[in-house]
Amino acid sequence: MKDIVLFFCFFLLLLSFLRETNAVSQEKNNGVYIVYMGAADSSNDGTKNQQAELMSSLIKRKKDAVVHSYSNGFSGFAARLSEAEAKSIAQKPGVISVFPDPILQLHTTRSWDFLQYQTEVESSSGPISGSDNASPKGVDTIIGILDTGIWPESESFSDNDMSEVPSKWKGTCMESHDSISFKCNKKLVGARFYDDSDEDGVRPSGSARDENGHGTHVASTAAGSPISGASYYGLASGTAKGGSPGSRIAMYRVCTTDGCHGSAIMKAFDDAIADGVDVLSLSLGSSSGLEVEFSSDPIAIGAFHAVEKGILVSCSAGNDGPGPATVVNVAPWILTVAATTIDRDFETDIVLGGNKLIKGGGISFGNLTRSPVYPLISGDLAKSGNTVVSEKNARYCNPNSLDGTKVKGKIVLCDNRNGYYSLTEKLTEVKSKGGIGFIVVDDNARTVAPKFKSFPAAVVTEKDSNEILSYINSTKKPVASVLPTVTIANYKPAPLVAYFSSRGPTYNTHNLLKPDITAPGVAILAAWPGNDTNEAVAAQAPPLYNIISGTSMSCPHVSGIAALVKAQNPSWSPSAIKSAIMTSALQTNNLKAPITTVSGSIATPYDIGAGEASPSLALNPGLVYETNTADYLQYLCSVGYDKSKIKLISNTVPDNFSCPTNSSSESVSQMNYPSIAVSNIKENEIKKVTRTVTNVGQEDATYTASIKGPVGLEVQVTPNKLVFTNNSKKLSYEVSFKASSKPKEDLFGSITWTNGKYKVRSPFVVSTNSQGV
């Protein structure tokens, strides 16, 4: 109990720190505010005039007051304002909201082969129709990526054998302000960057070139050209390819060294809408606990208008798991992506005296001999003589906790389960005291392959550490060796839910299930800038491909799948594509058992949404749930917007539209969404929701519903049979939920429509709560 209380206190302190950090980052944005004025409607001269007048008055005051203007997908601008000016503008006609420019953060090969293999395992009949060689390669679809930029010289962005750029592309390849030439081609069709001048009007040298690596990695994961022989210094060797290798890439560099400015993100959305992209991919967002409402959320605002214009928007779910209600980017028009592992492990073995082998993890290119001849010691036994250093601190190898005379020339076993100091800080402590090897105990880190470059190091689980400790404590002169890392293919079980992947329920309502889907996001190999000496191992050249983890990596997997679906079904709406990906998802691993978390518990929809995305099955979903603008407008009603504000936000609002008088978060359950979430259920109370499906498969087809529900919850589908004909392509059904007693925890299940060829599955969750936790 004491540990739980301490953890809770630590969590509250961390949340407070994050909020303070966020406030400081707002102050460091040079007083920039975003003025959001709703839809950009060429027929609405009033809004355009109001925007022009406001911007003109600011420019007269100071030449560089206006940072960005928005006019393609929506109206508004970003400007340097005083707090008083911001409050004054917020009261002007046509202004929906004025808010400080937030600084958001990044949510930092074989993964595609694994997804295809998983599909074949699920079907139990080999490659399915529309898979792999038979599937479209995303030809002529354009994926827009909002990130840190791109390294255009990477082979992954080669345009060999690609046709001319499609005429629908209206974007540009901005000229760099730096000394290095930046060129687009038929693969990388466009690139923009958003370096703002400072308060004195000085504009830094800018470029869409990636100085971080994140954007290059993301772009090649989504749509990189196939490159054989790719690896990270020989590890994960094979063909690196994007999910939609025939797609074009448009990069919007919105992130700099200090984060990703909301004003730049909104400008990128506005540009991308006019440029002609088909899919937008964002591996970034706020941290859990710092979420804001729609009118102050740059991603939610930009995504809303992009989806209205027919562009699917996929976003990372965040890396703040495994705690509940940590998922971000939860607007219903966004496809929110969690992260899982693939069937590849990076194994770094530890050899103890007597040649006992412990299978560790992580990535290390050490040069110790295979024979266990190196002295081994645990951190607590190497404790510094300083009286203020506790044995616990030494066990964790915290900074200044170890005695150099006891560590020099030895391999040191350190615990990392407290999480107060980083893995890097502990490694530095061992190295600075003369240690020649590092073994760290961390169940979570064991699953994500942290990199140690050329220093001999490995990560082990708590279970394996007990065996090492037993050996140390029972041996007069314990010895060991840490071997170089090797790649293990066909690792089982996989996928597992990544420990860092943010979880549901959504923070503001239990009537919308998020995340929507999951995809590979752990130890993913993809392209990397060729000049990153910081990532180089020893005296070798910088890597051209790198291995990193995060929902940042899972998001472009789904963006690539969306581009494939769009290529095969060019007339489909973003919601139809989203539905196809969700309802065709898989829930089993490569042992044909339910997907689990890294701790071993069966994954719920709060962990994986509808399941693991399948690039093949999503191409032919059979039925789709189309969520239209009216659904999203009703969602805005439920979170407190009135008709007048909503009519400013969207220019497709029908004249007879009105918010229901009893509009509440519970009405969100009635959105025509591919998943179902019902809240506030009471004992013996019946809750009903309605869904409408559109037949996109066989012209004449009969689908039958099957229900997988938990004990204590009665679920009925009416009708339980849907008969589609040439004249009946859209049919509706009702689902009723009745709890025999008040549930003590959230209840999960699914409804699957089948016709012998297609399986169309919707997960559901029933909760006693009405608000997020």
Side-chain angles (χ1 to χ4, degrees):
M1 178 60 73
K2 182 180 178 182
D3 289 341
I4 294 173
V5 172
L6 287 172
F7 174 79
F8 183 69
C9 292
F10 173 75
F11 178 78
L12 291 177
L13 285 171
L14 178 62
L15 184 58
S16 176
F17 170 75
L18 288 171
R19 293 188 187 278
E20 289 175 10
T21 302
N22 189 59
V24 170
S25 70
Q26 302 277 19
E27 293 169 6
K28 289 182 178 179
N29 63 9
N30 292 326
V32 174
Y33 286 79
I34 296 171
V35 180
Y36 173 49
M37 302 181 71
D41 187 353
S42 58
S43 64
N44 189 344
D45 291 333
T47 300
K48 287 196 295 184
N49 291 339
Q50 289 160 354
Q51 180 177 344
E53 288 174 8
L54 287 171
M55 290 171 58
S56 177
S57 66
L58 293 171
I59 293 171
K60 286 178 182 178
R61 174 179 62 79
K62 190 172 184 179
K63 180 182 177 181
D64 294 298
V66 175
V67 176
H68 298 296
S69 64
Y70 315 124
S71 59
N72 297 315
F74 48 92
S75 299
F77 57 91
R80 293 186 176 86
L81 305 171
S82 67
E83 186 176 350
E85 286 174 320
K87 288 180 179 179
S88 175
I89 290 175
Q91 304 305 314
K92 300 288 185 183
V95 174
I96 294 175
S97 59
V98 179
F99 55 98
D101 185 9
I103 300 178
L104 307 182
Q105 303 300 323
L106 299 169
H107 286 155
T108 296
T109 119
R110 178 168 169 75
S111 54
W112 288 107
D113 295 332
F114 173 62
L115 287 178
Q116 177 56 33
Y117 171 75
Q118 276 295 92
T119 299
E120 293 169 13
V121 169
E122 181 80 2
S123 65
S124 301
S125 58
I128 65 167
S129 173
S131 70
D132 211 294
N133 293 332
S135 68
K137 302 301 180 185
V139 175
D140 285 349
T141 50
I142 301 170
I143 303 176
I145 296 171
L146 279 61
D147 215 287
T148 62
I150 195 167
W151 190 259
E153 293 83 7
S154 171
E155 282 189 276
S156 288
F157 310 125
S158 167
D159 63 355
N160 291 340
D161 301 322
M162 294 199 77
S163 61
E164 293 302 311
V165 177
S167 59
K168 68 180 179 181
W169 173 248
K170 307 299 181 185
T172 186
C173 189
M174 288 177 66
E175 182 180 351
S176 297
H177 295 161
D178 59 17
S179 59
I180 306 175
S181 175
F182 186 104
K183 294 181 180 179
C184 295
N185 58 20
K186 290 180 286 187
K187 161 63 79 172
L188 176 59
V189 296
R192 295 179 184 267
F193 57 93
Y194 304 93
D195 283 334
D196 307 324
S197 58
D198 61 21
E199 289 183 288
D200 297 320
V202 177
R203 182 179 293 275
S205 60
S207 171
R209 183 173 294 280
D210 188 4
E211 297 178 357
N212 175 287
H214 190 276
T216 299
H217 196 282
V218 164
S220 63
T221 301
S225 300
I227 303 297
S228 61
S231 74
Y232 177 69
Y233 296 110
L235 294 177
S237 181
T239 298
K241 59 183 176 180
S244 183
S247 289
R248 322 296 176 126
I249 296 169
M251 175 57 68
Y252 301 85
R253 205 214 71 193
V254 298
C255 303
T256 58
T257 53
D258 65 341
C260 313
H261 284 262
S263 58
I265 291 169
M266 288 183 66
K267 181 61 176 173
F269 269 114
D270 195 49
D271 285 337
I273 289 169
D275 288 346
V277 304
D278 298 294
V279 175
L280 280 170
S281 185
L282 286 82
S283 291
L284 51 91
S286 65
S287 297
S288 174
L290 301 177
E291 303 89 349
V292 293
E293 65 168 339
F294 166 78
S295 64
S296 300
D297 184 340
I299 294 177
I301 291 170
F304 178 87
H305 293 288
V307 169
E308 262 201 322
K309 300 295 184 180
I311 302 167
L312 181 136
V313 180
S314 62
C315 294
S316 48
N319 296 344
D320 293 317
T326 49
V327 62
V328 298
N329 293 325
V330 298
W333 44 85
I334 291 173
L335 180 51
T336 310
V337 189
T340 42
T341 65
I342 62 172
D343 64 339
R344 177 177 63 204
D345 186 38
F346 295 103
E347 185 177 304
T348 304
D349 290 340
I350 300 151
V351 184
L352 303 179
N355 289 318
K356 170 66 179 178
L357 194 71
I358 302 292
K359 292 183 178 180
I363 296 176
S364 167
F365 299 95
N367 59 357
L368 300 183
T369 65
R370 181 174 181 83
S371 299
V373 297
Y374 307 96
L376 172 66
I377 192 170
S378 58
D380 58 319
L381 297 178
K383 176 183 171 300
S384 165
N386 191 325
T387 56
V388 300
V389 175
S390 68
E391 187 177 295
K392 183 176 181 181
N393 279 336
R395 185 170 75 250
Y396 288 127
C397 300
N398 291 339
N400 303 312
S401 66
L402 302 180
D403 185 333
T405 61
K406 298 176 182 177
V407 169
K408 188 175 181 180
K410 295 187 175 95
I411 298 170
V412 185
L413 175 68
C414 305
D415 204 322
N416 193 47
R417 286 172 293 176
N418 67 342
Y420 188 78
Y421 287 101
S422 70
L423 205 66
T424 301
E425 289 173 301
K426 298 181 182 194
L427 175 60
T428 299
E429 172 68 5
V430 170
K431 291 171 71 174
S432 68
K433 297 297 170 62
I436 62 165
F438 180 61
I439 303 172
V440 62
V441 184
D442 191 324
D443 286 0
N444 289 332
R446 175 63 183 87
T447 65
V448 297
K451 298 197 290 287
F452 303 101
K453 296 189 178 180
S454 59
F455 193 78
V459 185
V460 296
T461 63
E462 181 180 358
K463 179 181 178 183
D464 286 334
S465 76
N466 290 334
E467 191 166 352
I468 299 173
L469 280 170
S470 176
Y471 166 70
I472 291 174
N473 294 328
S474 63
T475 307
K476 188 174 182 180
K477 291 184 178 180
V479 291
S481 185
V482 178
L483 306 184
T485 303
V486 295
T487 306
I488 305 297
N490 302 315
Y491 185 81
K492 294 180 174 64
L496 297 170
V497 183
Y499 79 89
F500 58 76
S501 185
S502 291
R503 310 303 215 265
T506 59
Y507 64 91
N508 58 353
T509 177
H510 276 253
N511 297 91
L512 176 64
L513 178 56
K514 291 282 182 170
D516 293 307
I517 198 77
T518 193
V522 176
I524 303 300
L525 178 78
W528 201 254
N531 69 340
D532 189 357
T533 56
N534 290 327
E535 281 291 331
V537 171
Q540 299 187 67
L544 300 180
Y545 291 84
N546 202 356
I547 295 170
I548 55 177
S549 301
T551 52
S552 278
M553 285 62 256
S554 58
C555 175
H557 276 85
V558 173
S559 302
I561 295 173
L564 290 177
V565 178
K566 179 72 174 180
Q568 179 160 303
N569 306 281
S571 64
W572 280 14
S573 67
S575 65
I577 297 171
K578 179 180 186 177
S579 173
I581 294 171
M582 289 176 64
T583 61
S584 62
L586 309 176
Q587 297 79 43
T588 53
N589 60 26
N590 54 7
L591 294 175
K592 297 189 178 182
I595 294 172
T596 66
T597 67
V598 293
S599 65
S601 61
I602 294 177
T604 74
Y606 286 159
D607 302 314
I608 60 174
E612 181 97 342
S614 165
S616 299
L617 295 175
L619 295 173
N620 298 289
L623 306 175
V624 294
Y625 294 82
E626 294 193 89
T627 316
N628 56 38
T629 301
D631 286 306
Y632 300 142
L633 299 182
Q634 292 293 342
Y635 171 81
L636 292 176
C637 288
S638 73
V639 295
Y641 290 88
D642 59 25
K643 178 180 177 180
S644 61
K645 277 284 175 70
I646 290 173
K647 293 197 81 169
L648 288 174
I649 293 170
S650 174
N651 55 25
T652 61
V653 180
D655 291 336
N656 62 351
F657 174 83
S658 62
C659 288
T661 54
N662 62 342
S663 185
S664 68
S665 63
E666 290 194 38
S667 64
V668 176
S669 297
Q670 298 300 333
M671 276 195 306
N672 199 44
Y673 210 73
S675 60
I676 298 172
V678 173
S679 72
N680 203 26
I681 196 165
K682 298 177 176 59
E683 183 177 348
N684 292 322
E685 179 187 18
I686 297 176
K687 294 270 188 177
K688 295 181 179 181
V689 298
T690 300
R691 291 291 187 268
T692 299
V693 285
T694 302
N695 183 19
V696 294
Q698 297 168 311
E699 190 170 281
D700 295 319
T702 299
Y703 283 81
T704 303
S706 60
I707 301 166
K708 184 177 181 181
V711 175
L713 184 70
E714 182 183 335
V715 185
Q716 290 187 340
V717 176
T718 309
N720 66 353
K721 208 170 263 193
L722 298 175
V723 181
F724 294 93
T725 66
N726 189 41
N727 297 321
S728 301
K729 291 188 175 295
K730 287 182 182 285
L731 295 174
S732 298
Y733 65 92
E734 182 182 80
V735 186
S736 65
F737 300 95
K738 181 181 179 182
S740 56
S741 60
K742 185 175 180 179
K744 296 180 180 178
E745 58 185 7
D746 293 354
L747 303 175
F748 304 99
S750 63
I751 297 166
T752 304
W753 292 95
T754 57
N755 75 333
K757 181 177 182 180
Y758 302 112
K759 292 181 179 179
V760 186
R761 180 183 177 276
S762 292
F764 66 74
V765 57
V766 175
S767 169
T768 58
N769 298 311
S770 58
Q771 296 297 320
V773 294

